[in-house]
Every structure is written in structure tokens, then in C-alpha cells.
Amino acid sequence: MSTLQFILENTTLDRTDARVILCHLIEKHFSWPRTALLSRNTEILNPFFIEEWRDLERRRLFGEPVAYLIGMRPFHAIELRVNPSVLIPRPETELLVDIALERINELRCKHPTKKIRLLDLGTGSGAIALALAHADPEIEIHATDISFEALKTAQENARYLNLYEQVEFHLGSWYEALDLSDTKQFDVILSNPPYIHPADPHLNQGDLRFEPVAALSDQVNGLNCIEVILKDCLQYLSPGGSIAIEHGFEQAASVSSLMAQNGLLAVHHFADLAGHPRVTSACSPTL
Ligand SMILES: C[S@@+](CC[C@H](N)C(=O)[O-])C[C@H]1O[C@@H](n2cnc3c(N)ncnc32)[C@H](O)[C@@H]1O
């Protein structure tokens, strides 16, 4: 006899994971709300439901991330579709979105009529660009990625979230992806680049084993992508514009030196909820 109650009492999965997967399945199969996990937990489930549950339970026990199994991940105030071609957006990256919103507010106070232009380098699922587009419909947003499949996922997310008009997507490496005929600079540049050292054992653990390695590691020294992004950023930042980069908690000092070496000012670290410095921002000189 299979009911939601029976499944929850007998699975060896982590309880939270089991609940998230079951909520996804009851919505998909029956269009029931999440509350059905309690209110309809004694109803007999059909064989298609049970078959799919067993498949997802087996894959989760094998280690596949819940976000890939259900194809969705909440991020900031939006929900993103995700698949193994994109990094699963992390809560730490929401910090980058909040820093950008604060910076945009400051810029608006100084220049109320200016159209703010923002660039998200290495957009993946579109997490940063789309969370910002959702939060502020007035920003002009450009997003790049070197992965065709990732950019396709970001574009699908933009369509599904009805934000397609506001974000322009560019395929290619960092700034090279941008249209050369577009000479206008950006007021804010953001990036969560691959920053894990290739020898870091975490790459072979947990969810990371299933995520695209090119989204996680630069395959050099963990700082290579950040160096490339910072080397050319003054060319693309408007005077007094801001850049903010996510990095590993042991990379803050190296990132601030790189920022200073590349002529950026007002370097500032931001800590995640655990108190580790995970984002560093800086400004370009004003004219
Ligand atoms: C850590 S993931 C971040 C994804 C997304 N911004 C997020 O925060 O969830 C890094 C992204 O950078 C992209 N990437 C790697 N090398 C790149 C390059 N040379 N130019 C542009 N994007 C690159 C990867 O494909 C991946 O989508």
C-alpha cells in the first residue's frame, strides 16, 4: 500500500530531500499544493507516481543533487529551471544581487534620469541577471557565458519568468562575448566565476560531482578567471562604476590585491552568513 505517509515513513532519504521531491511529484502528477503532503497523506498513489518516486529516490541516494532531480531551484525572489549544464545557484550568490541593488540605488540618487547598465559575466542559469531584472525592471542587463547549453538555459529561464525583454544574452568568453559595435560602458559589473582550485578535494564530493566542472574550476589556480575579468574591467566600467566578484573565502586578500593592481578603488569585502568574506567589490576612478 503506497501513500505519501508510507513513503515518508519508509524512505532512507534525508527527510527534507524526500519532502522536496514528493512536493515536486504531487504537483506534477496531481497538481496538488504542497500542503497535500499532510492533508492527503493517506490517499493511495497511482503506479506512475510510485515508479517515478522510486527512480528519483534511487538517484538521490546515488548522490544526484535534488535541484537537478526536480529541475528547479529558488534563488533570491525567483525560481530557476536548472539542469546539469548549469551550476546550481547558491544562497551565497544572493549577496552579489543585494550588493548590486544597493549600488544601483546609490547611482539612482546621484543620477535620477540615467539608465543603469549592468553586466553579469558567466551567467549560468541566469541567476544573477534574472534576479536583478525581477527586482528592478528599469535596469538594462547584459549576461554572458561561454557555454552554449548554459546560455540556452538562461534564455529559457528569462522566457519562463517573462524577463526576456530586459536581459540581452551573449555567447563567448567574458568581455569578448559583447557586441563590439556597442561601445557604451557598464555602471555595474558582477561575476560569480569558476574559482575552485583544480586540486580542491571538494570537487569530488557531494553535489559538485554532478555540476559542470567548467562552472566550478578554472583548471589553473582558482584565481585565473578573476584575473582575466579584472585585467580588462576598467575598459568596460563607466567612471565611478562598480565591480563585485564572488570568490572562495580564502581568496579575499588575493582578489583585493588584484583589484588594486588593476587601478580599482574603494575595495571592500562582504561576508556570507557564516562570516566568511565571499564577495569583493571596488569602483573605477571618476573622471
Ligand atoms: C560559478 S558558475 C556561475 C553561474 C551563475 N552566475 C551563478 O551564480 O549561479 C560560472 C559560470 O561561468 C561560465 N564561464 C566559465 N568560463 C567562462 C568564460 N571564459 N567566459 C564566460 N563565462 C565563463 C561557466 O560556464 C558558468 O556558467
Side-chain angles (χ1 to χ4, degrees), residues 87 89 93 122-124 127-128 145-147 172-174 192-194 214-215:
L87 183 98
T93 308
T123 196
I128 298 167
D145 208 287
I146 200 163
S147 155
S173 187
W174 309 129
N192 172 21

Side-chain angles (χ1 to χ4, degrees), residues 196-198 217-224:
I196 302 181
H197 192 287
S217 173
D218 58 12
Q219 301 298 326
V220 182
N221 57 4
L223 282 171
N224 188 255

Side-chain angles (χ1 to χ4, degrees), residues 75 80 85-90 93 96 120-129 144-148 150-151 170-175 177 191-195 212 214-218 225 228-229 246:
F75 179 78
L80 292 154
S85 71
V86 294
L87 183 98
I88 299 165
R90 307 288 202 271
T93 308
L96 212 47
D120 171 22
L121 291 168
T123 196
S125 61
I128 298 167
T144 76
D145 208 287
I146 200 163
S147 155
F148 175 81
L151 208 67
H170 309 263
L171 179 66
S173 187
W174 309 129
Y175 307 103
S191 187
N192 172 21
Y195 54 74
L216 295 165
S217 173
D218 58 12
C225 292
V228 174
I229 290 170
E246 182 176 325

Side-chain angles (χ1 to χ4, degrees), residues 157-208:
N157 273 318
R159 251 180 244 115
Y160 142 82
L161 291 164
N162 212 10
L163 296 168
Y164 204 74
E165 304 273 290
Q166 205 190 333
V167 185
E168 206 172 301
F169 295 94
H170 309 263
L171 179 66
S173 187
W174 309 129
Y175 307 103
E176 285 168 19
L178 299 170
D179 188 351
L180 287 176
S181 62
D182 185 357
T183 52
K184 281 187 283 175
Q185 291 170 311
F186 296 93
D187 303 294
V188 180
I189 297 179
L190 303 170
S191 187
N192 172 21
Y195 54 74
I196 302 181
H197 192 287
D200 189 324
H202 289 102
L203 288 171
N204 302 316
Q205 294 167 16
D207 286 3
L208 274 65

